[in-house]
Amino acid sequence: HMNGILSVFKTDRKEWADLEPVPQDDGPNPVVKIAYSEKFTDVFDMFRALLKNDEKSERAFALTAEAIELNAANYTVWHYRRVLLQALDKDLREEMKYITAIIEDQPKNYQVWHHRRMVVEWLNDPSEELQFVAEILSQDAKNYHAWQHRQWVMQEYKLWDGELEYVEELLEEDVRNNSAWNQRHFVISHTRGYSDSAILEREVQYTLKQIKKAPHNESAWNYLNGILQDGGLSSYPGLLEQVTELQDTCSSPYLTAFLVDLYEDALETNSSSYDQQETLNKALELCKLLAEEKDTIRREYWNYVSRSLQNTYGSGDPVASSSDPPPPSSSQQPDTEPSDP
Amino acid sequence: MLTIVFFALSGLDVLDALDVVDKPSLIEWIYSLQVLPTDDKSNLSRCGFRGSSHIGVPYNSSKGPGAPHTYDSGHVAMTYTGLACLVILGDDLSRVCREACLAGLRALQLEDGSFYAVPEGSENDMRFVYCAACICFMLDDWSGMDRQRAIDYIRRSTSYDSGIGQGAGLESHGGSTFCAVASLCMMGNLQEVFSERELKRIRRWCILRQQNGFHGRPNKPVDTCYSFWVGATLELLDVFQYTNFEKNRSYILSTQDRLVGGFAKWPDSHPDPLHTYFGICGLSLMGEAELQKVHPALNISVRAFESLRRLHEAWRQKST
């Protein structure tokens, strides 16, 4: 309907005649002068009046919908609507339909997702949630709010079944979807976990397979690195070989960086399976390759990594750049002056 | 809205152009947004600053007492930006009800260490941990939070890829990584909370965000504001100097609107206060000529930071 429940024409508003509108009061020198439309001012003048009286009525409930349509980010309106939902014992199933439509329209708004979560909690019914979130993700597969809601539902109601399959579907559609990789880690760590060596090996092989399909994919490399951190990259049997094998066909700065990390792990753990000097040399060589060829945007960073490795594991004189970060023993002051470039 | 005023004001400060502003009027208006303790002090857990006068509480820029209103409470991001604006404007915070603000802040912290935005409840995530840390830092009083719980929340929000998400299990993100690292720096705990090995991995995650400008998550498009979120984090971790300044600068400037000015998230997009402010700050981190330096943790000019420090010294002297 054209005017909503609050007609633009003040003469028509008999149902609101008893309520004195409350204007916004910004004092003598208003700073943020927003050019509100007449409708916006009318609706919110009435909203302020209702709020002042803490009125709990159907007309108040209807007005919140008007206010939300004008500004879905006003958290006070949403809170008031929730107060009314309970005070008037409104049909929460209807509210679910309402909030579904609002989220479809504004899927990056914080308040709408919070409202949905509250209604789901009150109903204690998550049965529509996974499908709903999947719908939103089909329009934007990386919507952070959607993923957050999904994780909340799954954890709160223990809905883990079928999620790994869903993640794999998404990775089929876009193997570079970092949110999907994150969700993969979420689901596995909350179900069987990575301590199970069969699971870990399955995941390593799955990830290497995805890397072969799309070598220049930071997400897959981050996942591989992440799941192997606990055991240590240099300790995982056959890993160095499998990754080195990929160097010709699946080269990327991420592969090279992975090898640097693997060698660093060998040095850090003083692994007996690795010749320390040779490992250090390989790591330094790869840093140079990254700086000069494979990841030149981060040239200075790879030179810094190189210097750090040399200083920590090298046998010669310490290599320094005056602007290197201080060694770990000095404590970080909370109000350090930023260093000049 | 107070957050927009903050972007504008702090932006003008970094541009060294605060003279265009009527400081006394602004200070009055900001104080009028303070949720003041009522006579009977029954609303202390709701104190702080509002974002605007939208709920219709009568104008009052004094130190109190406040008029009771069932729905009147502060918002943690508004308390943070309100205090920051006052500091930027050179105010001495003498009309801030510090104890009330801190009580309001304590009421917002959850068991898991994170914070709500408002006492009525809202979402909770790393953004509000950062706001809370800024408030404690500016008021020079950490009784506003349980620091250990906040630290635990930050640790639990660290992802398998060593970036930091908005909460446990969530995807690592440039914004939440900034919020976490900056909060720890303000607490003075960065190196106690993370081992050197962990810090190395956080540095790596952050520095990989540079594509030309910066993005907020792997495989996402770049966006001007991440030149600050990620840039400032890298600065706090002492490795911003190893990023490529030319490419970063080029990107930020490419998002400038040649007609109306300001910056947008992408080239040929509409500019807005947030991206304009963070574009300026992103340039400031690189020492851009004619821009004031920005404090990478507190996100105000170093000059404003210094005046805050002097205020703290005066407070501490008074109490001894």
Side-chain angles (χ1 to χ4, degrees):
Chain A
H1 46 159
M2 266 190 13
N3 293 320
I5 64 156
L6 209 64
S7 172
V8 174
F9 306 106
K10 299 188 187 196
T11 47
D12 294 344
R13 274 187 287 158
K14 290 192 289 293
E15 330 86 71
W16 295 89
D18 64 299
L19 207 56
E20 186 67 36
V22 175
Q24 204 164 336
D25 183 3
D26 275 308
N29 287 306
V31 173
V32 186
K33 271 209 186 87
I34 300 178
Y36 298 115
S37 69
E38 200 182 320
K39 169 145 198 196
F40 192 100
T41 311
D42 278 356
V43 169
F44 278 95
D45 281 355
M46 282 305 168
F47 175 72
R48 283 183 275 272
L50 292 166
L51 215 58
K52 188 167 151 190
N53 299 333
D54 202 5
E55 182 176 312
K56 311 248 173 53
S57 66
E58 277 301 329
R59 72 174 178 179
F61 184 73
L63 190 83
T64 62
E66 298 278 332
I68 283 162
E69 197 181 343
L70 291 165
N71 180 10
N74 189 318
Y75 55 85
T76 310
V77 177
W78 282 108
H79 171 66
Y80 190 54
R81 187 179 174 89
R82 283 191 288 276
V83 168
L84 291 169
L85 279 168
Q86 302 203 285
L88 303 174
D89 197 24
K90 301 292 287 182
D91 183 345
L92 294 179
R93 301 276 167 201
E94 282 303 310
E95 190 67 4
M96 280 298 286
K97 288 190 199 156
Y98 172 73
I99 196 62
T100 295
I102 307 269
I103 295 176
E104 287 275 1
D105 192 44
Q106 303 185 56
K108 293 203 174 180
N109 167 312
Y110 284 94
Q111 288 70 39
V112 300
W113 286 98
H114 176 67
H115 189 74
R116 189 186 180 95
R117 180 167 150 164
M118 294 305 297
V119 179
V120 168
E121 276 181 5
W122 288 344
L123 283 169
N124 198 30
D125 179 8
S127 63
E128 294 174 19
E129 297 316 284
L130 296 182
Q131 185 175 356
F132 172 71
V133 175
E135 216 303 290
I136 299 294
L137 289 173
S138 73
Q139 295 162 46
D140 175 0
K142 302 180 184 184
N143 182 324
Y144 205 95
H145 305 268
W147 283 111
Q148 198 161 1
H149 187 78
R150 195 176 183 87
Q151 286 198 359
W152 169 74
V153 170
M154 287 173 58
Q155 229 170 336
E156 189 71 18
Y157 299 98
K158 317 229 185 307
L159 299 171
W160 306 101
D161 287 350
E163 190 66 2
L164 191 57
E165 287 75 7
Y166 175 66
V167 164
E168 281 193 19
E169 253 174 59
L170 290 181
L171 289 174
E172 269 296 301
E173 286 167 34
D174 178 9
V175 72
R176 292 181 181 81
N177 184 338
N178 197 68
S179 308
W181 282 101
N182 182 75
Q183 189 74 351
R184 189 177 185 95
H185 189 271
F186 177 74
V187 117
I188 292 174
S189 45
H190 281 93
T191 50
R192 285 179 65 187
Y194 292 93
S195 321
D196 184 334
S197 60
I199 300 291
L200 187 57
E201 179 58 15
R202 182 197 73 194
E203 290 303 297
V204 169
Q205 291 316 313
Y206 174 83
T207 310
L208 288 171
K209 186 165 162 212
Q210 305 317 312
I211 286 170
K212 285 175 196 157
K213 276 192 228 164
H216 198 280
N217 180 5
E218 189 194 336
S219 300
W221 283 104
N222 285 356
Y223 184 77
L224 184 65
N225 198 321
I227 62 177
L228 293 169
Q229 275 303 299
D230 279 350
L233 297 185
S234 65
S235 317
Y236 199 81
L239 185 67
L240 176 57
E241 289 71 24
Q242 286 188 79
V243 173
T244 315
E245 228 169 63
L246 295 175
Q247 270 183 307
D248 292 327
T249 50
C250 301
S251 178
S252 75
Y254 313 115
L255 185 153
T256 313
F258 187 91
L259 289 173
V260 171
D261 290 342
L262 192 154
Y263 291 138
E264 184 170 11
D265 183 63
L267 294 168
E268 202 174 354
T269 56
N270 204 8
S271 170
S272 50
S273 330
Y274 295 79
D275 177 288
Q276 295 291 295
Q277 187 58 55
E278 202 184 303
T279 304
L280 175 61
N281 290 340
K282 284 200 192 135
L284 295 176
E285 198 183 299
L286 292 177
C287 286
K288 187 162 178 231
L289 186 63
L290 285 161
E292 293 177 2
E293 208 180 294
K294 290 194 170 293
D295 197 17
T296 57
I297 193 173
R298 272 166 280 277
R299 181 186 61 209
E300 296 304 325
Y301 170 73
W302 292 114
N303 289 341
Y304 153 70
V305 172
S306 197
R307 286 194 301 275
S308 305
L309 288 171
Q310 280 182 287
N311 288 337
T312 313
Y313 301 107
S315 46
D317 295 319
V319 180
S321 169
S322 57
S323 44
D324 279 350
S329 53
S330 66
S331 58
Q332 178 128 356
Q333 295 306 307
D335 51 358
T336 329
E337 277 292 302
S339 52
D340 286 318
Chain B
M1 278 227 66
L2 198 39
T3 50
I4 300 179
V5 169
F6 169 77
F7 293 141
L9 214 53
S10 196
L12 287 169
D13 187 21
V14 176
L15 288 164
D16 208 1
L18 272 180
D19 298 325
V20 306
V21 155
D22 178 354
K23 292 186 195 158
S25 295
L26 252 170
I27 289 172
E28 290 308 299
W29 180 76
I30 293 166
Y31 273 119
S32 80
L33 297 175
Q34 187 172 198
V35 176
L36 298 160
T38 52
D39 258 313
D40 62 359
K41 296 203 189 318
S42 58
N43 70 336
L44 287 183
S45 63
R46 290 193 281 134
C47 287
F49 283 71
R50 308 174 194 98
S52 71
S53 58
H54 75 281
I55 69 157
V57 172
Y59 185 89
N60 181 356
S61 62
S62 77
K63 199 170 176 175
H69 187 304
T70 318
Y71 293 94
D72 191 24
S73 48
H75 183 295
V76 78
M78 310 307 163
T79 305
Y80 150 52
T81 49
L83 291 172
C85 285
L86 289 171
V87 168
I88 291 165
L89 291 167
D91 184 76
D92 65 358
L93 306 186
S94 53
R95 276 186 270 171
V96 175
C97 302
R98 288 166 65 191
E99 285 312 316
C101 280
L102 293 165
L105 190 54
R106 281 191 293 272
L108 298 175
Q109 190 168 24
L110 284 92
E111 262 192 55
D112 70 359
S114 68
F115 288 78
Y116 289 131
V118 294
E120 291 83 2
S122 73
E123 69 278 16
N124 59 295
D125 55 50
M126 202 63 78
R127 298 171 297 153
F128 305 138
V129 171
Y130 175 71
C131 294
C134 288
I135 292 166
C136 290
F137 189 87
M138 284 187 281
L139 295 181
D140 198 22
D141 192 333
W142 291 90
S143 71
M145 69 157 76
D146 181 330
R147 249 181 299 188
Q148 192 52 56
R149 284 195 201 241
I151 286 169
D152 290 341
Y153 183 81
I154 289 170
R155 281 202 62 87
R156 274 183 286 109
S157 302
T158 307
S159 164
Y160 60 86
D161 66 7
S162 299
I164 301 172
Q166 288 292 350
L170 293 169
E171 191 182 359
S172 54
H173 185 284
S176 40
T177 301
F178 167 80
C179 288
V181 172
S183 296
L184 292 176
C185 286
M186 285 189 284
M187 290 182 209
N189 283 42
L190 183 66
Q191 262 141 355
E192 279 104 72
V193 173
F194 287 119
S195 68
E196 189 52 34
R197 190 171 178 277
E198 287 168 329
L199 288 173
K200 266 193 245 178
R201 291 179 59 79
I202 297 172
R203 288 184 187 113
R204 171 79 65 82
W205 186 89
C206 290
I207 211 155
L208 282 174
R209 295 310 116 237
Q210 183 167 26
Q211 310 300 294
N212 34 67
F214 287 79
H215 61 196
R217 294 181 265 170
N219 290 319
K220 286 276 282 181
V222 293
D223 171 338
T224 296
C225 63
Y226 293 108
S227 288
F228 179 75
W229 300 127
V230 180
T233 308
L234 287 166
E235 177 62 32
L236 291 169
L237 296 168
D238 294 307
V239 291
F240 181 68
Q241 57 185 305
Y242 303 126
T243 59
N244 185 313
F245 282 17
E246 295 70 41
K247 293 203 166 154
N248 187 16
R249 186 176 184 275
S250 270
Y251 178 74
I252 298 172
L253 292 174
S254 77
T255 67
Q256 196 170 198
D257 184 308
R258 283 170 230 296
L259 209 58
V260 304
F263 297 93
K265 65 194 290 195
W266 298 327
D268 304 313
S269 306
H270 292 296
D272 61 59
L274 183 147
H275 289 93
T276 300
Y277 176 63
F278 290 116
I280 291 169
C281 290
L283 291 170
S284 165
L285 289 176
M286 293 184 277
E288 181 77 19
E290 296 174 61
L291 293 184
Q292 294 289 305
K293 290 296 246 161
V294 174
H295 189 282
L298 192 51
N299 184 219
I300 57 177
S301 68
V302 167
R303 174 180 48 199
F305 180 86
E306 287 303 316
S307 75
L308 179 69
R309 256 225 279 208
R310 287 192 292 274
L311 194 58
H312 289 173
E313 267 158 39
W315 290 349
R316 288 175 195 176
Q317 269 179 27
K318 236 190 259 182
S319 67
T320 52

